[in-house]
Amino acid sequence: MEILKPEQYAEAEAFVAAHPNGSFMQSPAWAKVKPNWKHEIVAVRDENGALRGTMSILIMPMGPGALMYAPRGPVCDYDDKALIAELLEGAAAVAKQYHAHILKMDPYLYEGDEKHIELFCSLGCDFTPDASFKDTIQPRYNYMLPYIKGLTEEELLAKFARETRYYIRYAPKQGVVCRHGMECLDDFYKVYSETGERQGFSIRPRSYLQGFLDAFPEAARLYMCYSPDGEPICGGLSVNYAGRTAHVYGCSSDDHSLRRLRATYMLQWEMMKWALSTGCHVYDMQGVAITPEDSEALYNVLGFKQNFTGEIVTTVGEFRIVYNAAVNAALETALKVRSKLRHH
């Protein structure tokens, strides 16, 4: 086990990007998007010096301790118990260095995978089955098209309902244009801010989105659809990484005359075509809520996402290792009190 130095991050990048369990949030570049967090990468090599597993850890100081979070980590063979144990040993060394009280991680494991849940728990991880919506950092429910690898555009279109195919073709016939590039950022941010205010979700600052695109110059794209008059209608920020295209941020105008152009269908189709052209195996429309009580905004978009004939994929949630129980209990209590105050 070793803790990588920044000059070794390119090696980690190549490993994560090529791994079937890789995620853009385990890329070293993701830490650049989170400048308020500290960052370390734990790695394990084989006898020839090649990487076998990595865990990119974000570290946030909190009071007398620190929260460590490995989003979608670790990246490794989840059947290799000894390898995972070695990565967790490295995480413990990082925790000691930063006085961390807890590590949270949410690897790509899916609901019902008792074999791997048991494996992680046998290595000292705490786990809450069927964790509620507000108890995990990443949404457990995601809407995905997990069958796209090897399909042509025509074959993918054929999987959609007739109405969906009609709307995908309708927008360009009305003169709607879809572009992608950094030059769309100002228009995206304007519509994104309006969408957040309308739907009640927190809005990332423009600098955050700029930093996201800068961190992933090849893997991230900002798409924007425009009316025939040049009015911005809707947009999406997607990341094409490790065989998966994920639609991370989206927005749409509330102007009814623009909404009638059905450009959101065209937008999704353009991003799906990018996924197809690069051989991705999954198009991930990201988080949804299955009840309005969990998140009205994410519940409201579920109906739209279901027009694309995918499926709700449920991850198991988070595994946790508590290094300092007293500090962790005190901070959890403080966070619950603060959450209650915000809702009153």
Side-chain angles (χ1 to χ4, degrees), residues 194-201 250 252 259 295-298 300-301:
E194 293 168 356
T195 305
E197 187 173 338
R198 182 175 74 245
Q199 296 186 353
F201 63 75
S252 62
R259 293 175 76 87
S295 167
E296 192 168 348
L298 290 182
N300 288 340
V301 300

Side-chain angles (χ1 to χ4, degrees), residues 134 335-344:
K134 294 179 175 63
L335 289 172
K336 286 177 182 177
V337 169
R338 187 166 68 176
S339 178
K340 285 182 179 179
L341 291 173
R342 281 179 176 174
H343 290 88
H344 283 82

Side-chain angles (χ1 to χ4, degrees), residues 4-299:
L4 297 183
K5 298 173 183 176
E7 56 265 30
Q8 297 171 300
Y9 285 2
E11 184 184 9
E13 178 71 68
F15 174 79
V16 174
H19 200 283
N21 293 325
S23 164
F24 71 91
M25 287 187 281
Q26 276 292 293
S27 161
W30 185 239
K32 298 177 184 177
V33 187
K34 304 288 183 180
N36 294 331
W37 295 65
K38 298 182 184 298
H39 176 236
E40 299 287 355
I41 300 177
V42 175
V44 175
R45 300 182 184 274
D46 63 19
E47 61 276 8
N48 298 315
L51 291 175
R52 292 176 57 219
T54 62
M55 187 191 303
S56 180
I57 304 171
L58 299 172
I59 305 127
M60 174 61 74
M62 298 179 69
L67 164 68
M68 301 202 319
Y69 177 42
R72 296 301 181 214
V75 178
C76 64
D77 177 358
Y78 295 145
D79 289 323
D80 193 333
K81 183 175 180 178
L83 172 58
I84 296 171
E86 202 168 346
L87 288 168
L88 294 180
E89 180 184 327
V94 174
K96 187 175 181 180
Q97 177 184 348
Y98 288 93
H99 308 289
H101 60 276
I102 192 171
L103 165 69
K104 296 185 178 185
M105 51 191 168
D106 43 27
Y108 277 128
L109 296 174
Y110 301 100
E111 191 172 59
D113 187 352
E114 298 301 327
K115 172 187 172 183
H116 291 109
I117 292 172
E118 184 178 332
L119 187 152
F120 273 84
C121 290
S122 72
L123 293 172
C125 296
D126 293 329
F127 175 72
T128 303
D130 303 315
S132 67
F133 184 89
K134 294 179 175 63
D135 287 339
T136 59
I137 297 173
Q138 302 295 331
R140 290 182 58 225
Y141 302 100
N142 292 269
Y143 200 80
M144 300 184 187
L145 280 63
Y147 53 75
I148 68 170
K149 187 174 177 62
L151 295 182
T152 64
E153 291 179 14
E154 291 73 21
E155 288 168 338
L156 180 55
L157 273 172
K159 291 183 176 293
F160 303 154
R162 175 189 283 182
E163 184 180 70
T164 301
R165 295 197 299 269
Y166 173 79
Y167 286 142
I168 285 172
R169 295 172 176 132
Y170 179 80
K173 287 180 179 178
Q174 303 308 306
V176 175
V177 175
C178 188
R179 305 189 186 106
H180 66 82
M182 192 72 80
E183 64 272 13
C184 300
L185 183 56
D186 286 338
D187 291 330
F188 179 89
Y189 195 72
K190 175 180 178 292
V191 180
Y192 168 72
S193 300
E194 293 168 356
T195 305
E197 187 173 338
R198 182 175 74 245
Q199 296 186 353
F201 63 75
S202 57
I203 301 166
R204 297 285 191 182
R206 186 188 183 283
S207 58
Y208 180 94
L209 301 176
Q210 173 87 54
F212 197 138
L213 294 164
D214 288 342
F216 293 94
E218 301 298 327
R221 278 188 183 179
L222 187 65
Y223 285 82
M224 202 74 206
C225 287
Y226 294 90
S227 74
D229 296 329
E231 286 295 313
I233 308 172
C234 59
L237 195 166
S238 287
V239 184
N240 185 317
Y241 190 92
R244 175 187 302 263
T245 294
H247 178 208
V248 185
Y249 294 108
C251 63
S252 62
S253 171
D254 200 34
D255 184 315
H256 292 292
S257 64
L258 295 177
R259 293 175 76 87
R260 283 199 294 268
L261 294 171
R262 304 292 184 177
T264 50
Y265 289 85
M266 181 184 183
L267 173 71
Q268 291 297 327
W269 180 237
E270 290 298 319
M271 293 188 290
M272 288 177 187
K273 288 196 294 184
W274 184 32
L276 290 177
S277 70
T278 52
C280 286
H281 61 274
V282 173
Y283 182 74
D284 186 353
M285 300 179 85
Q286 295 283 89
V288 295
I290 58 174
T291 67
E293 291 76 24
D294 285 338
S295 167
E296 192 168 348
L298 290 182
Y299 180 74

